Amino acid sequence: MWLREELLKSIWHAFRALDLDQRGKVSKSQLKVLSHSLCTVMKIPHDPVALEEHFRDDNEGPLSNQGYMPYLKRFILDKVQEDFDILEFNKVCWTLCCKKNICVKHLLISEDDAFKVWCIFNFLSEDEYPLVIVVEEIEYFLRKLMEASGGGGGEGRWSEEKLRLSLKSNSLTVWELLHLLGSGYFSKGLSHHSLSMGISELFQELILDVLKQGYMMKKGHKRKNWTERWFVLRPNSLSYYISEDLVEKRGDIVLDQFCSVESLADKEGRKCLFIIKCSDKSFEISASDKKKKQEWIQAIQTCIQQLSLGLSSPHREARLRRRELRQRQQVQVEDLEDRMKQLQAANENKQRQLEEMRKVASSLRSEHEETFKYMRQNPLCHLWHLQHPVCVWLIQVRQQMEKQIAQKSSELEQYLQRVKELEDMYHQLEEALEDERQAKLDEEAMRKLQARLLNEEAGKRAELEQLHLSQQMALSQTEAEKQELVAEQLAKERQLQAAMSQLDKLESERQEALEKYKVRAPFKTSSEFMKMLFLIYYTCFQSRDLVSQHALAVFHQ
């Protein structure tokens, strides 16, 4: 659900564009057009009579934004649903305000990129009007932009610009930010294409809540076939489309605290498998490699954990933490300023009291001197003697006044010392806050470096596992070939033994035949003799042929 504060920021820009004389007033006819446009893009039934009824006492003259705000909340924002297109809503407000505030043709970025920067500004700006973005959020935006664009070394330019901004107003409006970004000050060394790609990626993350996206294979539920889909991960859903143009959506995997994601073993010829288990069904997905598989599993698990804790998207939580940190720092600074003001007021009060006591002491001292002078000049008066009670009293009064002056002076010095200590503490606190901010930046950079090293290590481990798997496959193939050769050799040996046994049998049969025919009487006719010779020749030839075939097989082996 879109927050009302975020919607009001875009509407505020449109209202300011209609307020031509910058007096905070817009005519009723223009408000009618604005209200009708908002109701159209937000899919809210428009009541043309509601505006007339709301401003029935103001039929003439312009209307103030204080009068339009109750109407906006009652008849538009209170009826907002989740099914409207936030991009179309922002483009309507952008169209009303962009041409009246800035000329996009004179910038180095396109109008579409300027619109995306405008949306990002509304997300990062403070929830106070007129809308501005503070230096800390500018640094966050530029750092994320440089990371998404693939550029480095831009923080030196940020620090210079930060110093200039801190001397000026410590904040920027959206048109000042667009002018600086479009003038190329922050994009030195980057091509227009890289800068546009960085703005688009940052826009998808911060505005469209796209945490991760990419192609993967998905198994169907009915036909059980694998098809390639473009997956888009958001804080509470994983949508999949036909292609990356996001024109045709094929479905949504709704995530909640009861969902889970697990890794699967390779099967059906598919590798890098994982499964998302929901309350009603499960989804089997195949990533392109092990690194992408681990990244998707980690991203989906993070979304499920955020949902179980009741948190919103990570970048929105990070924005809230940055604002809370700034508020705590502002409270600490205000407390120190209040204590400094109290000490300064107490110091001024002590100084006034000390000055009054000095004046009283000076007057008493002058009266004391005049009295002694009169007593010395009057020969008939012996009151000038030091032992006289009046003289003793005057001396005591003078000593008391001097003691009080010394005490007040010491108290003043203590207060001044305390003020100095508080000033030193204030400067130390500022340095500590700056060190803490720098430490967080260093910690974030270290975390990104560790993530990159872990990704590289995971890639190397995947390569080693692939190499190990290929080696195992080669060894298993070699072992299988060896077993086949051994089996073939055993088969050939069995064939040789069978041939030798057959040869021996034939030889024995031949010997028996020869012995049999030797004992028999001579052949009666020549035809019987020729038949006998033919039988012997055929038997010998068949035995020789079997032996030659076996010899040739052994030779080839």
Side-chain angles (χ1 to χ4, degrees):
M1 184 68 180
W2 296 101
L3 297 178
R4 177 173 294 189
E5 291 76 10
E6 298 179 8
L7 300 177
L8 280 176
K9 290 179 180 180
S10 300
I11 299 174
W12 179 81
H13 284 292
F15 188 92
R16 291 274 293 180
L18 298 177
D19 183 13
L20 299 179
D21 53 0
Q22 303 299 321
R23 292 190 304 162
K25 295 182 178 181
V26 179
S27 64
K28 185 187 294 186
S29 60
Q30 290 177 321
L31 290 181
K32 286 181 180 180
V33 175
L34 176 60
S35 302
H36 185 271
S37 300
L38 294 177
C39 291
T40 302
V41 298
M42 300 172 79
K43 299 181 180 180
I44 298 173
H46 180 60
D47 186 4
V49 185
L51 188 64
E52 296 290 344
E53 291 292 331
H54 185 76
F55 295 107
R56 60 182 180 273
D57 297 332
D58 298 327
N59 293 325
E60 297 181 359
L63 303 175
S64 64
N65 56 353
Q66 288 83 4
Y68 182 63
M69 185 59 65
Y71 168 82
L72 186 66
K73 291 181 178 180
R74 178 182 176 185
F75 295 98
I76 297 180
L77 296 180
D78 288 345
K79 300 178 181 180
V80 173
Q81 302 295 327
E82 296 183 2
D83 57 348
F84 75 95
D85 190 354
I86 187 65
L87 287 182
E88 187 178 358
F89 166 78
N90 284 328
K91 284 181 179 178
V92 169
C93 300
W94 163 258
T95 304
L96 290 174
C97 65
C98 68
K99 295 181 180 180
K100 297 182 180 180
N101 292 278
I102 194 169
C103 183
V104 184
K105 295 181 179 179
H106 298 159
L107 300 179
L108 299 178
I109 57 178
S110 64
E111 183 175 356
D112 184 57
D113 291 338
F115 164 70
K116 293 176 181 178
V117 173
W118 178 79
C119 294
I120 296 172
F121 170 88
N122 292 337
F123 176 76
L124 297 177
S125 61
E126 300 298 303
D127 295 335
E128 297 176 358
Y129 297 91
L131 295 176
V132 293
I133 181 171
V134 296
V135 174
E136 291 80 6
E137 296 297 331
I138 297 174
E139 287 183 347
Y140 172 80
F141 166 69
L142 293 177
R143 185 171 62 254
K144 296 282 288 185
L145 180 60
M146 290 300 169
E147 291 175 359
S149 304
E155 194 163 352
R157 298 193 294 273
W158 310 346
S159 60
E160 180 182 352
E161 185 66 14
K162 176 184 175 181
L163 178 60
R164 189 179 70 83
L165 291 174
S166 62
L167 295 175
K168 182 182 178 182
S169 61
N170 204 31
S171 61
L172 285 178
T173 64
V174 62
W175 315 116
E176 292 172 344
L177 179 62
L178 280 171
H179 176 74
L180 287 176
L181 189 63
S183 63
Y185 181 83
F186 297 119
S187 59
K188 293 179 181 178
L190 287 178
S191 63
H192 298 310
H193 179 70
S194 299
L195 183 61
S196 179
M197 291 286 289
I199 293 174
S200 299
E201 184 176 343
L202 194 58
F203 175 77
Q204 289 182 353
E205 178 184 354
L206 299 182
I207 306 303
L208 302 183
D209 286 336
V210 175
L211 304 179
K212 190 173 180 59
Q213 55 185 345
Y215 279 109
M216 290 190 295
M217 303 295 292
K218 175 186 171 296
K219 185 177 181 179
H221 289 283
K222 295 182 179 180
R223 292 187 295 176
K224 305 299 181 181
N225 59 333
W226 290 87
T227 53
E228 187 179 46
R229 294 288 182 256
W230 177 263
F231 285 84
V232 178
L233 177 63
R234 296 183 176 90
N236 56 358
S237 66
L238 179 63
S239 305
Y240 47 96
Y241 301 80
I242 293 292
S243 61
E244 55 186 306
D245 56 8
L246 307 181
V247 175
E248 187 176 356
K249 181 189 286 189
R250 304 303 296 173
D252 291 309
I253 302 175
V254 180
L255 302 177
D256 54 29
Q257 58 182 344
F258 303 105
C259 294
S260 63
V261 56
E262 299 175 1
S263 177
L264 291 179
D266 299 342
K267 63 178 181 178
E268 301 177 3
R270 296 290 172 182
K271 299 181 179 180
C272 305
L273 296 173
F274 63 94
I275 184 172
I276 302 175
K277 296 180 180 180
C278 300
S279 57
D280 53 348
K281 62 177 67 175
S282 300
F283 302 85
E284 293 187 19
I285 301 174
S286 173
S288 58
D289 52 48
K290 291 186 177 180
K291 179 181 178 182
K292 294 292 181 60
K293 169 186 173 181
Q294 191 62 32
E295 289 177 355
W296 276 102
I297 291 176
Q298 184 63 36
I300 297 172
Q301 284 179 345
T302 302
C303 292
I304 296 173
Q305 291 175 359
Q306 293 283 110
L307 291 172
S308 62
L309 296 175
L311 302 177
S312 59
S313 56
H315 53 273
R316 295 179 185 273
E317 294 297 327
R319 182 188 63 177
L320 292 177
R321 288 194 296 269
R322 292 195 303 272
R323 288 185 178 180
E324 291 175 358
L325 178 61
R326 288 198 301 272
Q327 291 175 358
R328 288 198 300 269
Q329 293 175 352
Q330 185 65 26
V331 169
Q332 292 176 356
V333 171
E334 290 177 355
D335 290 341
L336 281 177
E337 290 178 352
D338 293 339
R339 293 177 63 184
M340 291 288 292
K341 290 179 180 179
Q342 293 175 2
L343 289 174
Q344 288 177 357
N347 185 20
E348 292 175 357
N349 189 18
K350 293 291 183 181
Q351 286 182 350
R352 285 195 299 268
Q353 292 179 3
L354 182 61
E355 188 65 27
E356 291 176 357
M357 292 183 66
R358 285 176 179 174
K359 290 179 180 179
V360 172
S362 177
S363 62
L364 289 175
R365 188 181 296 109
S366 61
E367 293 177 359
H368 181 267
E369 291 176 354
E370 289 178 359
T371 303
F372 272 89
K373 182 178 179 181
Y374 174 76
M375 292 172 64
R376 289 191 184 96
Q377 290 177 356
N378 192 353
L380 299 177
C381 184
H382 301 283
L383 294 176
W384 57 272
H385 196 271
L386 293 177
Q387 299 297 328
H388 195 277
V390 176
C391 296
V392 173
W393 176 77
L394 290 174
I395 293 172
Q396 290 177 354
V397 170
R398 180 176 180 180
Q399 290 176 353
Q400 290 177 359
M401 293 301 296
E402 289 178 352
K403 186 183 295 184
Q404 290 180 0
I405 291 172
Q407 183 179 357
K408 294 296 182 181
S409 299
S410 63
E411 291 179 357
L412 178 61
E413 291 178 357
Q414 291 178 0
Y415 272 104
L416 292 176
Q417 183 67 24
R418 182 61 178 167
V419 170
K420 184 178 179 181
E421 291 177 357
L422 287 174
E423 289 179 350
D424 295 339
M425 187 184 301
Y426 178 75
H427 293 305
Q428 290 176 2
L429 180 60
E430 285 185 341
E431 293 176 357
L433 292 175
E434 186 65 27
D435 293 339
E436 182 181 359
R437 189 181 298 110
Q438 186 64 35
K440 288 187 176 180
L441 295 176
D442 295 340
E443 182 181 357
E444 185 177 358
M446 182 61 66
R447 185 169 60 252
K448 291 179 180 178
L449 178 61
Q450 290 177 353
R452 182 172 61 83
L453 292 176
L454 288 175
N455 291 333
E456 292 178 355
E457 184 179 355
K460 292 180 179 178
R461 184 173 61 185
E463 292 177 358
L464 290 175
E465 290 179 355
Q466 189 69 24
L467 180 61
H468 180 66
L469 182 61
S470 62
Q471 289 177 352
Q472 286 183 345
M473 291 177 63
L475 289 174
S476 60
Q477 185 177 2
T478 304
E479 186 68 23
E481 292 177 354
K482 182 179 178 182
Q483 291 178 359
E484 289 178 358
L485 290 174
V486 171
E488 185 177 357
Q489 184 178 3
L490 293 174
K492 289 179 179 179
E493 288 180 355
R494 286 194 297 268
Q495 291 178 1
L496 178 61
Q497 291 177 0
M500 292 296 293
S501 62
Q502 188 177 3
L503 181 61
D504 294 339
K505 182 179 179 181
L506 290 173
E507 182 67 23
S508 63
E509 290 178 357
R510 187 178 66 82
Q511 292 294 335
E512 290 178 359
L514 288 175
E515 292 177 357
K516 181 178 180 181
Y517 283 108
K518 281 181 182 181
V519 297
R520 287 183 62 182
F523 298 101
K524 296 180 180 181
T525 62
S526 60
S527 62
E528 292 181 356
F529 179 74
M530 290 301 293
K531 289 180 180 179
M532 186 63 191
L533 284 177
F534 179 76
L535 180 61
I536 295 171
Y537 176 77
Y538 178 76
T539 304
C540 293
F541 180 79
Q542 188 177 8
S543 301
R544 182 180 61 82
D545 188 53
L546 288 173
V547 173
S548 62
Q549 287 181 359
H550 181 69
L552 286 173
V554 173
F555 175 75
H556 286 301
Q557 182 180 359

